[in-house]
Amino acid sequence: MKSLIAITLAVLMSALFFGCAPDNSSSKLIGVAMPTQSLQRWNQDGSNMKAQLEAKGYKVELQYANNDVNTQVQQLENMITEGARVLVIASIDGSALSEVLKEAKARKVEVIAYDRLIMNTPNVDYYATFDNFKVGVIQGQFIVSKLGLDQGKGPFNMELFAGSPDDNNAKVFNQGEMSILQPYIDSGKIVIPSKQTDFSSIAIQGWDSGKAQARMDNLITAFYSKGRKLDAVLSPNDSLAIGIIASLKNNGWGTPQKPYPVLTGQDCDKPNVKAIISGQQSMSVFKDTRTLAAQVVDMVDSIMSGRPVPVNDTKTYFNGVKIVPSFLCQPVFVDKTNYQKILIDSGYYKASDLQ
Ligand code: BGC
């Protein structure tokens, strides 16, 4: 009889407990805000992170903002209202989030800047990215060795491009590139016929392929129409390289008499790896989004469980208000000679993706 009462009580209590248990779905909610679906990498970043966070039992709200700043701010506001505990943000305009992040801070939401630093606010807690300066160094060194500048060859004609002025990364890539190329420009071994070298005149708003194509068209018309040789084009990423290739192709490059110039990139997007295989683009820099996503998932999990958050750089990334503790992943050089090993053998792409 006693045991019957005990069982009945236990059943009653557990019914009471589970019936009244608070809905804790929002207490494990993580907001992930990505800039755009128009570029392959951000789709991979977003889906890798969602899958890895869900595997650890988190609920994930993943949003893409179509490269529109107001849309991204709105999405972040919604995530905060829904009770997100951590926001992971790949910003569109790194300086446009101060207000919404004040709101996040007020609600004790932790903020991780993803890939791109969030500028001019104290309310960003961590930054996870690749070593962006090193990306630029890899691109610069490639041009130097491909042209044979390091063996005293030259002079060569080159044109420079940079990424979106509202993305801090664009400036850091440029600093890395120029740390290698500037001495050759100064010594006259690299000639920039357009004389367009300062960041603002070479930057492409929104990392837009069409705008890069239009600028390359203008450069060709103004400086290369009388048969001047173009030896190299420095492109900081793959979306710009796509526009530059289109312009070169339309203007008659890609023949034995007029071969494509040395052309750099970054991201190893599928169309660009195909362009590397076919000889239109010379190299790209691989930033394995699986690695970055895994790092950020570890950061989120550490925050949520009160463990120290892993960082490996506390000196480099000053956002105008503070140095943001960062984790830098390593970028990897890719060209025709090693893409098979780095991209296919590693399982990142299938061979059929690149046909
Ligand atoms: C990223 C690059 C990307 C570019 C355009 C940068 O912030 O680091 O990987 O190519 O944005 O989306």
Side-chain angles (χ1 to χ4, degrees):
M1 185 62 183
K2 254 190 191 164
S3 64
L4 194 66
I5 292 171
I7 291 170
T8 317
L9 256 172
V11 170
L12 265 175
M13 273 172 68
S14 67
L16 216 65
F17 177 78
F18 287 112
C20 303
D23 171 18
N24 74 345
S25 54
S26 75
S27 67
K28 290 204 85 178
L29 180 65
I30 311 298
V32 179
M34 292 283 118
T36 173
Q37 274 186 299
S38 66
L39 224 70
Q40 183 194 324
R41 71 152 295 180
W42 302 115
N43 293 284
Q44 282 169 338
D45 287 289
S47 55
N48 281 334
M49 228 170 338
K50 188 170 187 321
Q52 293 181 27
L53 282 167
E54 284 175 351
K56 285 197 180 294
Y58 294 103
K59 195 166 168 258
V60 179
E61 160 115 20
L62 167 64
Q63 295 287 349
Y64 294 88
N66 203 16
N67 263 344
D68 181 67
V69 177
N70 293 334
T71 306
Q72 187 164 63
V73 170
Q74 188 66 54
Q75 289 171 341
L76 292 168
E77 276 166 4
N78 291 345
M79 290 170 187
I80 296 169
T81 312
E82 284 162 27
R85 299 280 310 281
V86 180
L87 295 176
V88 177
I89 308 169
S91 57
I92 297 161
D93 179 339
S95 301
L97 301 179
S98 304
E99 283 308 310
V100 70
L101 294 190
K102 261 187 211 157
E103 178 66 21
K105 189 77 208 167
R107 302 237 197 156
K108 298 197 167 42
V109 180
E110 300 263 340
V111 173
I112 301 174
Y114 186 91
D115 194 76
R116 298 172 171 173
L117 186 56
I118 300 175
M119 307 302 288
N120 305 324
T121 171
N123 301 322
V124 51
D125 300 287
Y126 302 99
Y127 180 35
T129 190
F130 285 85
D131 186 336
N132 295 306
F133 189 87
K134 190 161 174 195
V135 169
V137 168
I138 293 173
Q139 294 165 332
Q141 283 172 338
F142 178 80
I143 290 180
V144 167
S145 83
K146 201 71 185 171
L147 293 178
L149 286 159
D150 49 355
Q151 292 152 32
K153 292 190 188 158
F156 295 104
N157 293 332
M158 180 163 98
E159 295 297 336
L160 307 171
F161 281 73
S164 195
D166 51 8
D167 178 353
N168 185 60
N169 284 355
K171 288 164 197 133
V172 184
F173 300 144
N174 184 252
Q175 285 157 9
E177 291 150 359
M178 296 319 269
S179 74
I180 303 295
L181 298 174
Q182 192 65 52
Y184 296 99
I185 297 176
D186 293 344
S187 71
K189 288 290 186 181
I190 293 178
V191 178
I192 318 280
S194 72
K195 301 202 167 36
Q196 295 174 15
T197 53
D198 62 302
F199 183 81
S200 59
S201 51
I202 64 173
I204 300 293
Q205 182 66 42
W207 296 96
D208 186 273
S209 305
K211 291 193 174 120
Q213 182 172 351
R215 177 164 182 261
M216 193 68 233
D217 283 346
N218 291 339
L219 290 171
I220 290 171
T221 309
F223 304 102
Y224 296 89
S225 56
K226 297 204 181 88
R228 183 188 262 145
K229 201 159 169 270
L230 174 61
D231 299 297
V233 181
L234 174 78
S235 167
N237 91 328
D238 281 355
S239 63
L240 266 54
I242 286 291
I244 294 164
I245 293 169
S247 169
L248 291 168
K249 200 184 231 168
N250 290 345
N251 285 285
W253 268 267
T255 65
Q257 298 74 33
K258 208 175 169 184
Y260 283 106
V262 173
L263 174 64
T264 55
Q266 164 181 201
D267 291 335
C268 289
D269 285 346
K270 285 178 205 164
N272 298 76
V273 182
K274 287 183 191 170
I276 290 174
I277 296 168
S278 70
Q280 298 175 324
Q281 183 172 328
S282 316
M283 59 84 76
S284 191
V285 179
F286 179 48
K287 305 194 302 187
D288 192 331
T289 52
R290 296 169 300 189
T291 313
L292 184 57
Q295 195 55 49
V296 171
V297 168
D298 194 14
M299 277 183 164
V300 170
D301 206 31
S302 304
I303 292 171
M304 294 293 283
S305 50
R307 278 185 275 125
V309 175
V311 293
N312 63 7
D313 183 300
T314 51
K315 290 197 180 81
T316 309
Y317 283 99
F318 181 66
N319 79 343
V321 176
K322 68 183 215 185
I323 294 178
V324 184
S326 306
F327 193 98
L328 309 187
C329 302
Q330 285 308 306
V332 175
F333 165 80
V334 164
D335 73 354
K336 213 171 185 166
T337 64
N338 70 355
Y339 79 91
Q340 167 80 35
K341 178 166 167 275
I342 308 253
L343 300 175
I344 299 176
D345 298 352
S346 75
Y348 195 77
Y349 288 144
K350 294 195 282 295
S352 59
D353 290 334
L354 304 175
Q355 270 144 23

